[in-house]
Amino acid sequence: MATVLPTTDRLAEKHRSTLDQALDTIRTRAYWSPYPEHPKAYGADGSLDAAAGLAAHQALLNTRFELDQPGTDGWTGGETSPYGPELGIEYPHADIDVLLPAMRAGTAAWRDAGAETRALVCLEILARISARTHEFAHAVMHTSGQAFMMAFQAGGPHAQDRGLEAVAYAYAEQTRTPAGRAGWSKPQGKRDPLELSKEFTPVGRGIALVIGCNTFPTWNGYPGLFASLATGNPVLVKPHPRAVLPLALTVRVAREVLAETGFDPNLVALAVERPGEGIAKTLAVRPEIRIIDYTGSTAFGDWLEANARQAQVYTEKAGVNTVVVDSTDNYKGMLANLAFSLSLYSGQMCTTPQNLLIPRDGITTDQGPRTYDEVVSDLAAAVGGLLGDDARANGLLGALVNPDVKARLEAAAGLGEVALASREVVNPEFPDAVVRTPVIVKLDGSKPDAQAAYFSECFGPVSFAVSVDSTDDALELLRRTVREKGAMTVGAYTTSADTERAVEEVCLEESAQLSLNLTGGVYVNQTAAFSDFHGSGGNPAANAALCDGAFVSNRFRVVEVRRQA
C-alpha cells in the first residue's frame, strides 16, 4: 500500500473533481461530459491532433503489437478494414494456462488500494485514452466501418463517458458501506456493553472477461471493463476477431497506467484468438472467470447465460426495436428524425428502429391526414433526400461491417413490397468499401407470412413499415414484440394524451426504454451517458442496463472482519 500512496495523492489532485462531478451527474441525470466531442479540441496539453492521430494509427499498420504480457506463445491477426485495406497487425496469442494465474497475482494489492484509488487509476486510464482520441477514431473506423466522425465521437468521447459512468457507479456502490473500521456497541443493561470492531472490505469476484463486439468495440466494451476493474477485478479482454485494434490499444494504455501507479499491469490483459479458434467459449467456462460482459448475438448470449454458471454474466443481445406512429403535430420533423435514425451507420446499431407500426387507415398530422401509403412514401422520400448526396451519404452510412449484413440487406427486398430500394454508394477515398443506403419494405401486419420477417431482428439497413388495423393493435404488437423478442429502444409519435399514456404503460410493464415524439436533433438510437439508460435489463434484448447500480453491485462482495474491541 505504501508504494502507491504518493501516486494516489497526485491522481486525487488531478481527477477527484472529475469523479465528484460524475457522481453528482448520475444523481441529477443532467448533461455533462469531460471529454470533448469536437476534433479541433485536441492537440493541446499533450493530446494528439488530427495529423498526429492519423500518423499514430498508420505507424501501427503491418507491425507486431507488443504488450509484454505473460504466456505469449505466438502471434495472430488478420483484421481487414470494412473500407478495404488489410491492417496487417499481429497481436500476441496467449497461453491461457499461463496468463490467468499471472492476472490473479496482483489482486490483493489492487483490493487493498481501496475504492477511491481504483477509481482514480481508472480515470487516469480514461484520460490517456482521451488524449489519443484521434488515434482511437481511426482504429474504430477501420474495424467497425463507422464513418470517421461517428468513430471519433461514439468510439472516443462517448465511449469514454460510458467508462467513466461505470467507474462512478462502481465507486458509489462500494462506498455505501463505510471504509475502514467501525465501532459496534450493544447495551447490556447493568452489564458491560458488547463491543466489537468491524472492518468492511469490497472484494472483487475474480477475473472478469470482456467479450468485445465488432460494431462498437469501445462503446460497448468500456462499461464492463471499467466496472470490473474499479470493483477490484482483473480484466481479460477478448476482442471480436474483426475489431481487435481499439481494445488492444485500450489494454496497452491500461497496463502502462497500472505499472506507473505501482500495480501489477497484468490486472488487464488481452486474449486474441487465432482464426477459427473460438476461445470465447473456452474462456467463458474456466473456473477463474467470475464475471462476463458480452455484446452480440442472442444465440451466444443465451449460451453464456446457460453454460457459464460459475460467472456473473451481463449480456446485451438482439432485439426488435419498434416505433409506433399514431399521429404527429410536426410531420416534417418526424420524417426527418426517422430518416436519420434509419440511416445512421447503415442501421448497424442495436438501437436502430426496425419495425414502424402504422395504422392502415393512416394518421393525423399538422399537414392534414396521411394514409399508410403516403406516410411510407413520404418517409422513403425523406431517407432518399437525406442520402441523395453521396458525400453526405458516406458520412452518415459508413461501410457495411461484414458480408452477413450485405446478405440480409439483399434478401430483405424479397420479403414484401419495396417502398425504398437500397442503392450502392461509391466512397471515392475507399473504393473497396461496401456502402449501401437503407431499404424500406412494406408488410401487412395481419398476414402470418409477414410475421416471420418483422418478428425477428434483421440487423443492418433494413426497416419494415408494418400496417396494422389500429393504434390499439400497434400497441398489442409492440407489447408482444418486446415481451418475446426484446427491444433496446421503443419510439412513438402521438398527439393523444391517452395514447401516450398507453404506450408508456406498455413500456413500463415490459421494461423497454421509450422515446416520445422526437422531431429534433435527438434520435431514438442515441443515448447519453450519465443520463440515459442503455437497455433496461428487463426484456430479452439484454439482462443488464448501461449503466445502473445493478450493473456494478454484483461484481464485488463486501467481506467483514470482526474483532473483539
Side-chain angles (χ1 to χ4, degrees):
M1 187 71 176
T3 59
V4 297
L5 276 174
T7 298
T8 300
D9 292 341
R10 179 178 61 82
L11 291 180
E13 181 179 352
K14 186 175 181 182
H15 297 303
R16 181 69 218 201
S17 62
T18 302
L19 177 59
D20 289 341
Q21 183 64 61
L23 290 166
D24 183 64
T25 308
I26 62 176
R27 288 190 291 267
T28 65
R29 317 307 294 180
Y31 169 75
W32 174 73
S33 173
Y35 308 116
E37 281 188 314
H38 200 287
K40 291 184 179 179
Y42 296 82
D45 302 322
S47 63
L48 301 183
D49 62 13
L54 176 59
H57 171 72
Q58 291 175 333
L60 293 170
L61 303 180
N62 302 304
T63 65
R64 281 191 167 176
F65 194 96
E66 300 283 354
L67 277 178
D68 192 29
Q69 64 182 29
T72 297
D73 61 7
W75 297 84
T76 187
E79 292 159 291
T80 297
S81 169
Y83 289 94
E86 293 184 3
L87 301 191
I89 303 172
E90 289 188 311
Y91 303 94
H93 181 273
D95 180 341
I96 298 303
D97 290 327
V98 175
L99 181 59
L100 291 180
M103 293 185 69
R104 298 174 68 177
T107 54
W110 188 236
R111 176 200 66 214
D112 294 343
E116 181 177 17
T117 295
R118 288 193 295 270
L120 294 172
V121 171
C122 287
L123 264 64
E124 176 65 17
I125 295 169
L126 285 164
R128 295 197 191 183
I129 290 171
S130 176
R132 295 168 62 177
T133 292
H134 273 282
E135 178 185 2
F136 273 77
H138 289 286
V140 172
M141 174 183 177
H142 285 290
T143 53
S144 73
Q146 295 175 30
F148 178 78
M149 274 306 298
M150 184 174 186
F152 183 92
Q153 293 184 337
H158 297 174
Q160 296 151 22
D161 283 342
R162 283 297 184 191
L164 175 56
E165 177 187 47
V167 173
Y169 272 100
Y171 178 82
E173 291 298 321
Q174 290 173 96
T175 54
R176 287 185 186 277
T177 304
R181 294 189 179 184
W184 182 87
S185 180
K186 180 179 179 180
Q188 295 293 299
K190 294 181 180 180
R191 292 175 293 170
D192 291 340
L194 299 175
E195 294 187 347
L196 294 175
S197 172
K198 302 184 179 184
E199 189 170 6
F200 305 94
T201 303
V203 177
R205 283 185 170 271
I207 298 175
L209 173 65
V210 174
I211 303 175
C213 70
N214 195 174
T215 49
F216 289 89
T218 55
W219 198 97
N220 279 109
Y222 283 6
L225 192 165
F226 284 100
S228 288
L229 190 61
T231 51
N233 304 281
V235 181
L236 179 60
V237 178
K238 205 297 291 182
H240 191 284
R242 294 193 188 100
V244 178
L245 182 56
L247 291 179
L249 286 168
T250 302
V251 169
R252 176 181 277 177
V253 172
R255 291 174 62 84
E256 290 171 354
V257 171
L258 286 164
E260 290 176 21
T261 52
F263 296 103
D264 189 337
N266 297 321
L267 287 166
V268 178
L270 186 72
V272 183
E273 61 188 292
R274 296 187 175 105
E277 186 178 6
I279 61 171
K281 277 192 173 183
T282 303
L283 288 169
V285 296
R286 292 276 303 215
E288 303 97 325
I289 301 297
R290 304 303 302 275
I291 302 167
I292 298 173
D293 287 275
Y294 167 76
T295 300
S297 72
T298 296
F300 191 57
D302 289 345
W303 185 91
L304 287 170
E305 291 171 3
N307 291 277
R309 309 298 296 177
Q310 84 293 348
Q312 183 71 31
V313 179
Y314 301 89
T315 59
E316 181 191 312
K317 301 176 288 190
V320 178
N321 301 319
T322 301
V323 177
V324 174
V325 183
D326 168 74
S327 54
T328 181
D329 58 8
N330 186 350
Y331 188 58
K332 183 178 179 181
M334 180 189 80
L335 294 174
N337 193 280
L338 285 173
F340 188 92
S341 296
L342 299 180
S343 302
L344 185 62
Y345 185 33
S346 301
Q348 298 170 122
M349 303 173 69
C350 62
T351 50
T352 300
Q354 175 179 300
N355 293 346
L356 311 175
L357 308 185
I358 307 168
R360 65 181 78 255
D361 291 337
I363 67 172
T364 59
T365 80
D366 58 317
Q367 297 183 17
R370 290 290 189 271
T371 66
Y372 163 81
D373 287 332
E374 288 173 330
V375 173
V376 179
S377 177
D378 291 344
L379 178 59
V383 174
L386 177 68
L387 303 176
D389 176 75
D390 281 3
R392 178 193 283 180
N394 277 306
L396 284 175
L397 296 170
L400 298 189
V401 69
N402 60 52
D404 292 340
V405 176
K406 181 173 180 284
R408 282 192 294 271
L409 171 63
E410 293 171 345
L415 299 174
E417 180 185 346
V418 175
L420 177 67
S422 176
R423 71 178 181 89
E424 182 177 356
V425 178
V426 175
N427 187 320
E429 186 178 0
F430 301 102
D432 293 331
V434 179
V435 185
R436 298 289 188 275
T437 62
V439 63
I440 300 176
V441 179
K442 297 167 73 172
L443 295 174
D444 187 337
S446 65
K447 293 184 177 179
D449 59 344
Q451 180 176 302
Y454 68 73
F455 211 59
S456 59
E457 186 188 39
C458 191
F459 185 76
V462 177
S463 59
F464 300 114
V466 182
S467 63
V468 293
D469 290 335
S470 66
T471 297
D472 286 343
D473 288 330
L475 294 179
E476 284 307 307
L477 180 53
L478 169 64
R479 181 187 298 277
R480 184 183 167 206
T481 301
V482 176
R483 180 177 294 174
E484 297 183 22
K485 299 297 181 179
M488 295 300 293
T489 58
V490 172
Y493 290 89
T494 182
T495 57
S496 164
D498 289 341
T499 299
E500 183 173 317
R501 283 193 295 271
V503 177
E504 285 187 56
E505 191 62 26
V506 170
C507 290
L508 289 169
E509 291 178 356
E510 305 302 332
S511 295
Q513 311 293 17
L514 172 63
S515 297
L516 284 165
N517 298 317
L518 298 183
T519 56
V522 176
Y523 304 94
V524 67
N525 44 353
Q526 297 174 322
T527 58
F530 311 108
S531 183
D532 295 324
F533 292 111
H534 176 74
S536 71
N539 69 65
N543 72 2
L546 306 180
C547 185
D548 60 7
F551 185 70
V552 300
S553 60
N554 216 12
R555 296 172 189 265
F556 69 95
R557 309 312 297 164
V558 176
V559 176
E560 176 184 359
V561 177
R562 302 190 297 180
R563 294 178 173 86
Q564 189 71 44

